[in-house]
Amino acid sequence: MSGASSTAQVEVLKENSKKCSEKRKENCSIEQTALVEEYVDLVEELSLTVGTKLEEDGEIEEDGGEELENLLLHGYKSDLKWSMKDYRPPKYTYVRYRVPSAIREEVLQSNRVRRVISMLGKETGRSKDQLDAEATAILEEMGHEFSMTILRFIGGLIRKIFKQIITDVTVHTDGIKELRKLSSQKPLLLIPTHRSYLDFILVTWLLYSYDIKTPVIAAGQDFMFMKGVGALLRRCGAYFIRRSFGKDKLYWALFTEYTQTHIINGDAPVEFFIEGTRSRTGKSLQPKFGMLTIALEPFFDARVSDVAICPITLSYEKTVEENLHVREMMGIPKPKESTTGLIKARAILDNNYGHIHVKAGQIISVYETAVGKVDRKVRALVPRAVIPSVHPHERTFVNELAYRVLLEQQANAVVFPCSVMAAVLLKHIKSKVWSLQLYKAEKELIWTCDLLIKLGCNLLWNKNQTNMDHVIRMLSPVVYCEGDHIIVHKNPPTALHLSNSVFKQCNSLISLGRRRNEFMHNVIHVAMLAKILFHPKSKERTLEQYKRLRDILQYEFVFMPDSAAVDFEKTTKQLKDLNLITFNENVFKFADKDVKDFLVSLIDPFLITYMDSWQFCISYMPRTLQHSQSLKSLCMRIQTYISVLYCEPYLYGESINLNVIENSILVLAKLSLVSLDKGKSQVYCVDPFMFSNTIREFALTIHPLPAKL
C-alpha cells in the first residue's frame, strides 16, 4: 500500500470514526456502543500506525476530527524567542486606536457619566469639579495600562514556569481558529470557566500564542493591592473593579462605560467570568447576570450590530490552590492576596499538577440568538443622553444566554481519571473502608470510567494504559500508596492545623468530594433518577419527585430554567437506551443494582447534608426578626452541630462543607420557608408548619419506603 493511498484511507476512516462518535452520543444501546468503541479504537490504532505527523513546533495530533496541540510546545522552543515572536493579530474592522489614557478620557466625557455627575451635583450639592476629580480618581484606579513589552516579558516567564509544574496544556485548535477569524469581524466576549487564579493567565497566553488580540480582563480589586503584581497585571490588560459597589451611581456609570467602550470600539476582546468568582467546590456556580447585561447593552442600543460570545472551558487535573479551597469550604478564612503570600507559595514550583485541557466552545452570535426574543426598536425612541433601563424581555434574554454559556462550558469539560478514583474511594469510605487493594481499585476505576463514558462524560482515559501511580500522585497528599494498598489519609498534612478530629478526617473527604464534583454535571440527572427509583414508581410520580429534587438542588447544580420536563424525558430515554431502567405498564424500575448504588453514592452526600441542616433549623433557627442572625453565623452553628452530632467522623465531607450548608438555607429562602435579607445579615424561620411538611416530604424522597405506584 502506497503512503498516499494509506493516508487517504485513514482520512476516510477518521471521518467515519467521527460519525460513529456522534452516533454514540445519541444514546446508543450498550451493544451498539461497544461496537462503535471497538471501531473507533481500530481507526485510531491504524491512524497512529500510518503516522499522523507530530510537528516539532506544536505536537499537533488529531482526535475524532479535531486538532489537538500542546500549548507548551507551540511555536519556538526557546521561551525568549517565543515571547519576542512576530505578533500580528487581526484587527477589528472598525477599531480606532486609542492609548489607555485616551480611553479613560472618553469615558469621563461620555453622555452617561456627564449625566450622572450632573444628577449627583443636584442631589448632594457637590461641585462639578469635585465630582470630576472623584471620577478621574476612580478611572485611574480602575483602568488598565496595557503594555506589549510587559505582556511579552510576563508571557515568557509564565511559559517557563508552566513547563516546570504542568505536564501539558492541550488545546482544541479548531475553536481557536474560528475565534481568530471572527476577531476582525465582531466585538468579542471571552467567558472562561473559573476554577483557579491561573484562568485569566491561561486565556491571555492562549490568545498571544495563536496571534489573537489579547483581552482586557475584568479582575477583582484584591489583586490591585498586591505590590508589583497588581501593576504587572494592569499592564497585561487587567482592569480592576470593586467586589461590590451597591448604589454608588458614579462608580456604576464609570464601570459600565469603561467596559462598553472596549466593546463598541473593538480595542480588545473583553474577558470576564460568568460565575463571578472562583468555584471552590469543583462544580459550576450559578451564573451572575450583571456583567453580561452591561456587555450586551451596546447591542440592545444598536451601537454594535452583533457581539460574539466565546465560552472557554479550562479543565485542570489538579489546581494549584486545592488545599486553600478545602480550607475555605471548612470555614477557614481565605488569606488575603499579597505579594508576600505569593512568594511564600513558591513551593508549588516543586510539584506537578498534571494536565490542563483548553477548549473554546461554539461561538454564540448574539444577533442570531436574539431573533424573536429582543426587540431593539424599543430603545430607538430613547434619547442617547438618557440612561436606559434594562427591559424585562432583555433581562430574560440575558438570563437564558448566561445559562447557555455555562452549560456549553460544562459540555466541553474534560474529566480526568483521578476525579473518578476519588468517587470510587468515597463510595468505600461510606462503608468505613479507608483503603483498597490496588488491583481492586484499578478494576473499579475501569468499571466506573466505562459507565461514565456511556453516560456522556468527556473522559481523558485509556483503559489499556491506566497509570495508577499518576492517579494516586494527582490525589496526594490525601491519598497515598502503601504496599499493594491505596489509602485515604485520615490525618493528612494539610489538616495538621485543625484541632477537631472530625474536621481533620473530613479534610480528606472534602478534598476527594471536590474532585468527584468535577464530573457531577454529567451525571446529576441520572443520579437523581437513581435515588428516586429506589423502589419502582409510576412515570407521573417519578416526574413529580424529579422536579421536587431538582428544585431542592437548584443552588447546588446548574439547571436550565423551565426545562425540567424536557430534561426528564431526555434522561429517561438515555437510561432506557442503555438498558439501565425498564418501563413497563407505566412503571419505571432501575434494572442494574451496581449502577444504581454508584449513582446514589454520588448524590447522597448532598441530600443527607440538606436533611441534617434542615433538622437543625426546624429546632433551633430563630422565628422572629428580633432574634434573627446572619446567614454565616447560622451556617457555622449547623457545622458545629453536625460535627458534634456524630461520635465517629461523619462519612460525608459535605456535612461540614459550608458551601453546601449555605446552599441548603438559600433553598429554604427560595421556597419562602425562611426569610433572608439581601445582605444575608438576617435569617429566621417564617412558617414552621410548612417547613415541617417540607422536611417530611424530603425525607420520603431520600429515604423512600415501598408505596403505592
Side-chain angles (χ1 to χ4, degrees), residues 249-263:
K249 296 178 182 177
L250 181 58
Y251 196 94
W252 267 110
L254 292 166
F255 166 63
T256 300
E257 282 296 325
Y258 193 83
T259 300
Q260 291 180 358
T261 190
H262 287 88
I263 296 170

Side-chain angles (χ1 to χ4, degrees), residues 60-69 171-174 177:
I60 297 178
E61 58 185 66
E62 296 190 14
D63 177 42
E66 285 194 76
E67 285 188 352
L68 304 179
E69 186 168 6
V171 178
H172 288 250
T173 57
D174 289 359
K177 291 174 181 176

Side-chain angles (χ1 to χ4, degrees), residues 372-387:
K373 298 179 180 179
V374 175
D375 183 7
R376 294 200 283 179
K377 295 193 295 292
V378 172
R379 293 198 178 211
L381 300 176
V382 180
R384 295 286 190 189
V386 175
I387 300 173

Side-chain angles (χ1 to χ4, degrees), residues 8 24 35 45 70 131 252 283 285 290 416 449 460 476 492 526 534 544 560 570 590 633 657 663:
R24 181 174 52 187
L35 289 172
E45 182 179 352
N70 183 358
L131 290 168
W252 267 110
K283 300 185 277 85
L285 302 178
F416 297 95
C449 286
L460 194 66
S476 66
V526 294
F534 190 88
E544 177 190 341
M560 178 65 82
K570 180 179 177 182
F590 221 95
S633 174
N657 184 331
N663 288 339

Side-chain angles (χ1 to χ4, degrees), residues 231-429:
L232 289 175
L233 292 176
R234 193 188 293 275
R235 284 165 176 75
C236 289
Y239 66 100
F240 299 103
I241 56 177
R242 299 172 188 170
R243 288 294 181 187
S244 61
F245 32 95
K247 297 181 180 180
D248 189 334
K249 296 178 182 177
L250 181 58
Y251 196 94
W252 267 110
L254 292 166
F255 166 63
T256 300
E257 282 296 325
Y258 193 83
T259 300
Q260 291 180 358
T261 190
H262 287 88
I263 296 170
I264 295 167
N265 191 63
D267 301 272
V270 175
E271 177 188 342
F272 62 92
F273 302 105
I274 199 75
E275 298 164 275
T277 185
R278 280 177 304 147
S279 170
R280 276 75 169 169
T281 63
K283 300 185 277 85
S284 294
L285 302 178
Q286 299 301 312
K288 303 295 188 294
F289 309 117
M291 187 70 183
L292 186 59
T293 303
I294 289 172
L296 294 187
E297 192 177 276
F299 170 77
F300 297 147
D301 286 340
R303 286 181 284 172
V304 294
S305 59
D306 195 6
V307 176
I309 299 177
C310 181
I312 301 175
T313 304
L314 307 173
S315 304
Y316 296 88
E317 190 167 20
K318 184 176 184 178
T319 58
V320 297
E321 313 96 325
E322 182 170 332
N323 293 335
L324 286 176
H325 289 165
V326 172
R327 289 160 61 98
E328 288 181 53
M329 286 186 280
M330 296 175 73
I332 300 169
K334 180 184 75 169
K336 187 177 180 181
E337 287 86 354
S338 66
T339 306
T340 304
L342 182 63
I343 294 172
K344 289 180 180 178
R346 64 185 180 276
I348 65 172
L349 299 177
D350 299 327
N351 299 323
N352 183 274
Y353 295 90
H355 306 274
I356 298 176
H357 212 273
V358 183
K359 184 168 184 179
Q362 181 180 1
I363 296 175
I364 301 169
S365 165
V366 175
Y367 175 80
E368 294 175 3
T369 309
V371 173
K373 298 179 180 179
V374 175
D375 183 7
R376 294 200 283 179
K377 295 193 295 292
V378 172
R379 293 198 178 211
L381 300 176
V382 180
R384 295 286 190 189
V386 175
I387 300 173
S389 58
V390 180
H391 294 271
H393 71 279
E394 294 171 346
R395 196 176 302 280
T396 300
F397 173 74
V398 169
N399 293 1
E400 290 178 357
L401 195 56
Y403 277 102
R404 178 178 170 183
V405 168
L406 248 179
L407 294 174
E408 175 74 10
Q409 290 176 342
Q410 289 185 343
N412 292 326
V414 166
V415 179
F416 297 95
C418 56
S419 299
V420 183
M421 190 73 247
V424 170
L425 293 171
L426 286 170
K427 181 185 174 184
H428 284 278
I429 291 173

